[in-house]
Amino acid sequence: MKFRLIWQVLHRWIHRETLADSPRPELNEPSKDLSMINRRNMLHGIAAGVGSTFLPNFASAATSTKTGGGPKRVIFFMQNQGFDPRTCIPAGMKNSGSLAGVKLPEPIQALEPFKERLQIINGLHGKHTSPSHSAFFGALGGYRGSDGVPPSASTIDYELSKVLPETLLPHLCIGMDSMENMKGKPTVANLSASGAGQPIFMHSNPNHLYEMLYGGISQGDIRSQHEARSGMFDRIEEMAAARGSTLPTPDKQRFNQYVQGFNDINGLRGRLGKVSDHLRNFAPKVDDRYTNPEFETDWHDVNLDLGISALKSGITNVLTIGSGRGEIFGAWKGLGVEKQGHNLGHMDQPDNPIWIKIRQYNSRMLVKLMEELESVPEGSGTMMDNTLIVYTSNNADKQHTNGANWPVMLLGNCDGIFKSGCLTQLDGKRPINALYSTILQTVGANSKRFNMSEQMAAKFDSGLSLIHISEP
């Protein structure tokens, strides 16, 4: 088939090495793990990652008479292997209440100065997502997920990108993993989706992501590679559009999706090029951590910097961070953690030195996100005043879990829309879908039940906890 050539070029582009590496792998068939995902949607996935209700009482009602408020941007931070509530709930707290006067546990101690912006939610569930090892797309989609299974619907981060203020790149996903995995598979799709069978890919190699966002304003090798690939994509799009008309109808439909994917990527490069002077104010400095990292955490750190720069520059309003990339892998040797991957999920997290280091590292990243956004004026306040950060896991509370408890931390109250400085203890009868519906309603979207039919809700959602406009 003629569209096989397009796939091979795309596959070569996806699996290119870092700027410092020269060897190129030989191309044969598409890899099995990528073929599990609907390949005809892959380019769209890359481009998309490049574009009176019963609700729990952790937010103010979207139908409130309150003017203003509501997030202008949302960040999802998904740590794999589970989020044990004992690592975030202060000792002795069993019920909903204020965090004032209590000390945050050691794993999230870095958030202590920001406690008044923090809401810890305990008692949501995701039993319907089958989260043991990972719920994959179901963690942000609120539906059953599994390894190698395509998404059955869009995810909350993508849905938010459609209703938040328009940006050049509506939705950016970055993934953090072991160095071997990030180099071997610089783009993977496990967490986000724009629809059924339409995954959105995470970017893990910061050299590739920097080139995509800032290649047009760079110098040296980055600029040369950016121009070379831009020309290549233009030629492929022209060639594909000209030759696709001779294919049989079924093949032509798939072929046209590849062509549209290249069109989307070329369009993004063009849009970024038009605001190059603005982007120069936000592009991070490229240093040895990009081209010669000592540990995988060097790439984790610069990927975070790129995500922050995309938010501050206004390139995107939705950022999804996958620490462990939604799977059971991951490495943090830069923190002094020698164990990695699946074995980390077999450890009890509370009072575990390894998990304390990983969660503290997460918390420092959350602090950096807040401080960077706090430094940028917006309206009568700062960008952080209009930002919601959602921290949780794609594994609910632990690696081998039935999803009966799915802890979440929210940072930012968005002008009082979300309660903060408190623990909200729920009864385990409300699904994570209820949280996602609440967030959608705060940005003006009409969402009674996010990705949950009435039949499913009858089994998995009590729908009894009415939302209140403000704290007592």
Side-chain angles (χ1 to χ4, degrees):
M1 296 181 187
K2 294 181 180 179
F3 67 82
R4 176 180 173 79
L5 173 63
I6 303 298
W7 165 255
Q8 288 188 324
V9 174
L10 171 63
H11 193 264
R12 182 181 294 275
W13 177 72
I14 290 174
H15 291 281
R16 65 199 190 279
E17 302 297 319
T18 65
L19 294 178
D21 296 332
S22 55
R24 301 282 180 174
E26 292 298 320
L27 287 177
N28 295 306
E29 295 297 325
S31 62
K32 291 181 180 179
D33 59 308
L34 284 177
S35 65
M36 289 179 183
I37 303 298
N38 193 343
R39 284 182 279 177
R40 75 191 69 169
N41 295 310
M42 177 150 46
L43 269 169
H44 279 306
I46 294 175
V50 272
S52 142
T53 296
F54 293 97
L55 296 168
N57 60 347
F58 43 74
S60 300
T63 55
S64 166
T65 56
K66 184 178 178 57
T67 59
K72 294 181 179 179
R73 64 196 59 82
V74 181
I75 302 165
F76 292 89
F77 194 123
M78 311 293 287
Q79 174 61 53
N80 71 345
Q81 311 285 17
F83 183 22
D84 193 304
R86 293 171 292 175
T87 64
C88 67
I89 296 177
M93 289 196 76
K94 304 294 184 183
N95 302 304
S96 298
S98 173
L99 296 176
V102 299
K103 186 177 180 180
L104 296 180
E106 184 180 3
I108 64 166
Q109 203 166 49
L111 300 177
E112 186 74 29
F114 304 90
K115 206 162 50 176
E116 75 282 355
R117 302 183 183 188
L118 170 66
Q119 180 179 183
I120 302 169
I121 304 171
N122 193 44
L124 288 168
H125 80 83
K127 290 181 284 188
H128 56 302
T129 68
S130 186
S132 184
H133 279 178
S134 177
F136 292 90
F137 298 106
L140 291 173
Y143 47 73
R144 183 179 177 85
S146 184
D147 189 10
V149 176
S152 61
S154 61
T155 51
I156 179 60
D157 45 358
Y158 175 77
E159 288 300 319
L160 284 165
S161 75
K162 296 195 306 184
V163 294
L164 287 170
E166 186 176 358
T167 56
L168 295 175
L169 178 62
H171 184 196
L172 176 62
C173 303
I174 58 178
M176 302 169 181
D177 206 333
S178 67
M179 185 59 69
E180 178 185 6
N181 287 345
M182 290 189 291
K183 283 186 174 182
K185 297 179 181 178
T187 55
V188 296
N190 292 316
L191 292 173
S192 304
S194 59
Q198 298 178 18
I200 298 175
F201 282 70
M202 290 180 274
H203 300 267
S204 294
N205 187 321
N207 298 289
H208 303 169
L209 182 54
Y210 190 98
E211 182 207 320
M212 184 183 83
L213 297 177
Y214 301 113
I217 60 173
S218 301
Q219 303 297 325
D221 289 343
I222 297 177
R223 180 60 177 264
S224 297
Q225 293 195 31
H226 175 80
E227 291 178 348
R229 290 193 178 100
S230 294
M232 179 190 71
F233 283 140
D234 287 338
R235 291 192 298 274
I236 291 173
E237 184 183 348
E238 292 173 3
M239 177 188 71
R243 297 184 179 182
S245 59
T246 62
L247 293 172
T249 299
D251 293 339
K252 185 186 297 184
Q253 292 174 346
R254 287 191 290 171
F255 192 87
N256 287 339
Q257 288 179 309
Y258 287 126
V259 175
Q260 184 58 46
F262 281 107
N263 182 274
D264 291 342
I265 293 172
N266 290 337
L268 173 63
R269 288 172 181 260
R271 293 192 300 273
L272 292 172
K274 291 178 180 178
V275 293
S276 57
D277 289 341
H278 171 73
L279 295 181
R280 284 190 178 90
N281 298 319
F282 300 94
K285 181 181 178 180
V286 176
D287 55 31
D288 288 344
R289 293 176 299 168
Y290 284 79
T291 56
N292 190 30
E294 182 178 5
F295 298 109
E296 71 290 305
T297 46
D298 291 333
W299 271 17
H300 297 181
D301 291 340
V302 294
N303 271 325
L304 181 69
D305 290 343
L306 287 166
I308 290 172
S309 73
L311 291 166
K312 291 172 66 175
S313 65
I315 290 177
T316 191
N317 280 337
V318 179
L319 174 65
T320 300
I321 301 169
S323 181
R325 304 202 297 185
E327 298 181 297
I328 56 172
F329 308 116
W332 292 268
K333 293 180 181 178
L335 306 180
V337 175
E338 291 302 319
K339 291 185 181 294
Q340 63 184 64
H342 184 263
N343 289 336
L344 290 172
H346 290 180
M347 303 174 180
D348 201 29
Q349 292 182 9
D351 301 319
N352 185 310
I354 288 177
W355 272 105
I356 289 174
K357 288 180 180 179
I358 296 173
R359 201 75 66 190
Q360 286 178 334
Y361 182 51
N362 290 173
S363 297
R364 291 195 297 272
M365 287 184 162
L366 295 173
V367 169
K368 184 170 187 177
L369 281 163
M370 289 188 287
E371 289 180 339
E372 289 285 349
L373 294 175
E374 189 72 26
S375 70
V376 182
E378 185 173 65
S380 58
T382 70
M383 288 185 73
M384 187 59 213
D385 293 328
N386 301 303
T387 299
L388 177 68
I389 301 175
V390 182
Y391 177 91
T392 186
S393 176
N394 52 284
N395 284 81
D397 58 335
K398 56 187 176 182
Q399 187 192 89
H400 294 279
T401 179
N402 64 359
N405 188 17
W406 202 304
V408 178
M409 293 195 305
L410 302 182
L411 287 156
N413 65 16
C414 300
D415 195 23
I417 291 292
F418 288 93
K419 295 160 63 176
S420 59
C422 62
L423 165 68
T424 299
Q425 179 64 53
L426 302 175
D427 60 6
K429 297 180 180 180
R430 305 306 310 281
I432 54 174
N433 307 60
L435 171 64
Y436 301 156
S437 288
T438 301
I439 297 173
L440 280 168
Q441 289 212 16
T442 65
V443 299
N446 182 17
S447 176
K448 182 180 180 181
R449 298 191 188 280
F450 181 74
N451 282 346
M452 181 168 277
S453 66
E454 293 298 328
Q455 182 179 6
M456 286 287 288
K459 184 176 181 180
F460 292 107
D461 189 357
S462 68
L464 299 177
S465 300
L466 278 172
I467 197 166
H468 296 288
I469 292 175
S470 61
E471 296 183 72

